[in-house]
Amino acid sequence: MAKVIKTKTGKSITLLNPAEKGKRYANQLKTGKVKETGKKLTDSQKAWRSGYLSARQDSADCFNATKKKQVTNRRNKNSRS
């Protein structure tokens, strides 16, 4: 859940959880613009967002592969008994 905080200078900052941040980055890459400011994304901003999303995907793939191994190992142990 996003949380808006105020700094000492009065500036508002929105803190996002990883799922919200990923969704926001995906939308920005799709449109090519930052929704809040309306500015176009630079090449380095596009690369950063793309890298962030691919890192999340790599992490999810690793997590799922580990879970799959654990389930397979449990099944093998149960069949031996």
Side-chain angles (χ1 to χ4, degrees):
M1 179 110 163
K3 184 174 183 176
V4 179
I5 61 169
K6 291 224 181 228
T7 63
K8 291 180 182 178
T9 60
K11 182 178 176 183
S12 293
I13 297 175
T14 304
L15 301 176
L16 302 171
N17 67 32
E20 292 170 331
K21 192 173 180 182
K23 191 178 218 181
R24 180 180 182 185
Y25 281 179
N27 287 334
Q28 288 177 355
L29 283 172
K30 195 180 294 184
T31 61
K33 292 183 181 179
V34 178
K35 182 181 174 186
E36 293 76 23
T37 62
K39 294 181 181 178
K40 287 183 72 174
L41 291 174
T42 64
D43 288 341
S44 61
Q45 289 172 326
K46 289 177 185 177
W48 176 266
R49 284 155 175 73
S50 178
Y52 181 84
L53 294 175
S54 69
R56 281 184 47 90
Q57 185 62 51
D58 290 345
S59 179
D61 290 343
C62 180
F63 175 82
N64 290 333
T66 304
K67 287 298 177 186
K68 187 175 181 180
K69 285 181 185 177
Q70 288 175 353
V71 169
T72 304
N73 288 340
R74 263 191 234 131
R75 286 182 185 159
N76 289 341
K77 284 182 182 179
N78 289 339
S79 65
R80 291 181 195 165
S81 300

